[in-house]
Amino acid sequence: MKIVRYSVNGQSPRLGAYLGADRVMDLEASAEAYLASRSVVRSGAIAAALFPHASTRGFLEGGSASQDMLAAMAEAAKSGKYTPVSHPVASVRLHAPIADPGKFICIGLNYKDHAAETNNPAPKEPPVFPKWANAILDPGEPILRPRGEKTLDWEVELGVVIGRTARFVKKEQALDFVYGYTIINDASARDFQFHTTQWSAGKIGDTLAPVGPYIADRAEIPDPHVLDLKTWVNGALMQNGTTRNFIFDVGYIIQYLTNIMTLSPGDLIATGTPAGVGFSRKPQVTLQPGDTVRLEITGLGVLENTVKDA
């Protein structure tokens, strides 16, 4: 299943899911129709509770109730037992598939080749830093280069979306707490990032986290450790990596984080970037207004954004 947030004709975003490759199902409206067809009197209220119309976090907080309903609707639609409310993919605008994570956690220096290109030793434990929801950007919208920034950079990253409350989770069970995966561009304002030894100033700016185009659940991505990641800037291939080069795999990251904090449904984790970032190149390559950044991860589609000055 692929979860999206989408809009039609300039209306507010709604929660949806792909039906095959060519249609997007409106989850709240489809759930109401599905329940009404079964003579459920309070179908509208129940559908709204299971599928808050624009909140992926709200959907994930519904746990098995929301997810079982989604599975039942998809199966009924597939078998022709009911017709969900849906739109052609070509007619919708896709938004960031999650815009309201409770926590947005980033892991740094998590690829062997990226640590090497930055002349850093492999860390003994995952470096952790935050982004916040203000940084999240829809596919197709421009990344805003912060004022005074001259070294804006790209970072393709596998995003992990938590599906269940997790605390003191062992590595071996950690993927059971994942709902799915998405693409994140951890766009980085390197001038601000290196003002001090703390990286956050270069990471937390408005629009510095394009996310999308969808969240693929674990059935779509059974193994997150065999994925290829690529970045193109203006058509030139800049990053060509693989999650096989993780220093800390997804299971270990979740084990590490849940020893420190509780992870909740809808929390978002960016798991680091492979080699090929701009500031490590000789000469450096930086993002300029008018540039186009295109990211791709196996099974997760394509995320593309332009760049402009704030």
Side-chain angles (χ1 to χ4, degrees):
M1 188 70 67
K2 296 181 177 74
I3 301 298
V4 297
R5 292 173 61 253
Y6 77 95
S7 60
V8 178
N9 297 327
Q11 297 176 354
S12 298
R14 297 182 65 82
L15 194 62
Y18 271 92
L19 282 175
D22 58 354
R23 297 194 72 84
V24 170
M25 172 170 58
D26 183 310
L27 294 188
E28 182 182 350
S30 295
E32 182 175 359
Y34 178 81
L35 292 168
S37 72
R38 283 151 179 75
S39 302
V40 175
V41 175
R42 298 184 63 246
S43 58
I46 295 169
L50 293 173
F51 303 106
H53 70 270
S55 176
T56 305
R57 186 173 86 180
F59 159 67
L60 293 171
E61 288 172 343
S64 60
S66 296
Q67 292 170 38
D68 289 351
M69 175 62 75
L70 176 54
M73 291 192 302
E75 181 59 32
K78 184 177 180 181
S79 65
K81 293 180 180 178
Y82 103 115
T83 301
V85 179
S86 67
H87 308 274
V89 169
S91 73
V92 307
R93 175 191 171 196
L94 294 180
H95 299 266
I98 182 164
D100 57 347
K103 293 183 282 295
F104 190 166
I105 303 164
C106 301
I107 305 299
L109 292 175
N110 194 32
Y111 284 75
K112 299 168 188 174
D113 53 0
H114 179 55
E117 75 171 347
T118 59
N119 297 314
N120 284 293
K124 294 180 180 179
E125 296 292 352
V128 178
F129 60 91
K131 283 187 183 269
W132 290 295
N134 66 291
I136 292 176
L137 183 66
D138 294 339
E141 291 298 304
I143 299 167
L144 300 179
R145 185 173 67 170
R147 294 182 180 181
E149 176 61 41
K150 301 299 183 186
T151 320
L152 185 64
D153 210 344
W154 59 83
E155 293 191 3
V156 60
E157 307 207 4
L158 176 66
V160 176
V161 181
I162 297 298
R164 295 167 50 198
T165 301
R167 181 69 162 144
F168 302 122
V169 172
K170 296 298 184 185
K171 173 181 175 178
E172 294 74 18
Q173 287 77 48
L175 295 187
D176 294 339
F177 293 82
V178 173
Y179 178 78
Y181 305 93
T182 191
I183 303 174
I184 298 172
N185 185 353
D186 178 18
S188 301
R190 303 297 188 191
D191 295 335
F192 287 92
Q193 179 178 342
F194 298 123
H195 280 171
T196 73
T197 57
Q198 297 292 328
W199 297 345
S200 295
K203 301 287 190 173
I204 59 178
D206 292 349
T207 77
L208 293 186
V211 179
Y214 50 76
I215 299 168
D217 68 11
R218 288 177 54 213
E220 301 264 350
I221 307 291
D223 185 355
H225 305 113
V226 294
L227 307 179
D228 296 328
L229 309 86
K230 294 182 167 93
T231 300
W232 292 264
V233 177
N234 300 330
L237 182 63
M238 294 295 185
Q239 290 184 283
N240 188 7
T242 172
T243 56
R244 294 175 179 87
N245 282 334
F246 271 151
I247 297 171
F248 306 105
D249 66 18
V250 175
Y252 188 85
I253 290 169
I254 291 173
Q255 174 180 283
Y256 182 79
L257 291 174
T258 62
N259 192 53
I260 301 169
M261 68 183 86
T262 300
L263 295 179
S264 302
D267 285 350
L268 183 59
I269 304 170
T271 56
T273 197
V277 296
F279 89 102
S280 293
R281 293 174 174 269
K282 293 180 175 55
Q284 288 186 344
V285 179
T286 61
L287 291 174
Q288 302 295 319
D291 286 350
T292 298
V293 187
R294 177 183 174 91
L295 280 58
E296 180 179 310
I297 299 179
T298 308
L300 296 176
V302 171
L303 175 64
E304 187 171 297
N305 300 86
T306 56
V307 179
K308 64 184 288 188
D309 278 331

